Amino acid sequence: MNIIVTTDPIADLLARIRNAIAVGKAEISLPHSKMKAAIAQLFKANNFVDDVRISGEGIDRTLTLVLNGTGQNARITEIDRLSKPGRRYYVNAQEIPVVKHGRGIVVVSTSKGLMTGDEAKAQRIGGELICKVY
């Protein structure tokens, strides 16, 4: 199995989701990492994807996201990376943006782990803005 190493695995995850939605695929598989799995679990908890599965062991672990059921449209309209490796984007709790009047979420990496912007505002902690989903 060939392993492709990317410089920004989160951007790779978001691009794979965006491309799968564009061609109408129901699920995607990609190499596993704790960060990508945590982001995928946030998407599932906020009803943007149907299911998140982790299979395999060690270096062969695979993360599978079920975007939508067969015959259904994807619930993700727009997905963008905010903080990039060359330019990190940090905010405090008051500066966390609201996506599409609250219909979308922003994923924030805080000192207490990954959470949505609303959860971070409620706990009054800021952090690095990872991505926004609508």
Side-chain angles (χ1 to χ4, degrees), residues 10-58:
I10 298 168
D12 179 56
L13 164 72
L14 303 180
R16 286 178 191 233
I17 292 172
R18 204 176 302 116
N19 293 341
I21 290 169
V23 297
K25 288 182 89 176
E27 70 177 51
I28 59 168
S29 293
L30 60 156
H32 175 272
S33 78
K34 289 180 184 178
M35 182 73 137
K36 290 189 277 191
I39 291 171
Q41 289 295 341
L42 275 177
F43 291 166
K44 181 181 177 186
N46 288 282
N47 203 25
F48 284 107
V49 298
D50 277 353
D51 194 19
V52 177
R53 294 190 298 265
I54 299 169
S55 59
E57 286 188 22

Side-chain angles (χ1 to χ4, degrees), residues 36-130:
K36 290 189 277 191
I39 291 171
Q41 289 295 341
L42 275 177
F43 291 166
K44 181 181 177 186
N46 288 282
N47 203 25
F48 284 107
V49 298
D50 277 353
D51 194 19
V52 177
R53 294 190 298 265
I54 299 169
S55 59
E57 286 188 22
I59 198 164
D60 292 328
R61 290 182 86 179
T62 303
L63 179 68
T64 304
L65 277 77
V66 179
L67 301 174
N68 53 312
T70 52
Q72 294 178 334
N73 290 332
R75 292 184 289 274
I76 296 175
T77 307
E78 183 182 317
I79 186 166
D80 291 320
R81 180 86 158 106
L82 295 173
S83 187
K84 297 173 173 66
R87 195 223 176 281
R88 301 293 185 188
Y89 189 14
Y90 296 98
V91 294
N92 61 32
Q94 295 82 26
E95 296 170 338
I96 295 174
V98 176
V99 180
K100 301 286 185 181
H101 301 289
R103 292 192 302 261
I105 62 166
V106 62
V107 178
V108 183
S109 176
T110 68
S111 57
K112 296 184 179 177
L114 283 179
M115 58 183 72
T116 64
D118 292 338
E119 293 169 347
K121 277 184 184 177
Q123 295 184 25
R124 297 175 55 163
I125 50 177
E128 181 184 354
L129 296 182
I130 302 296

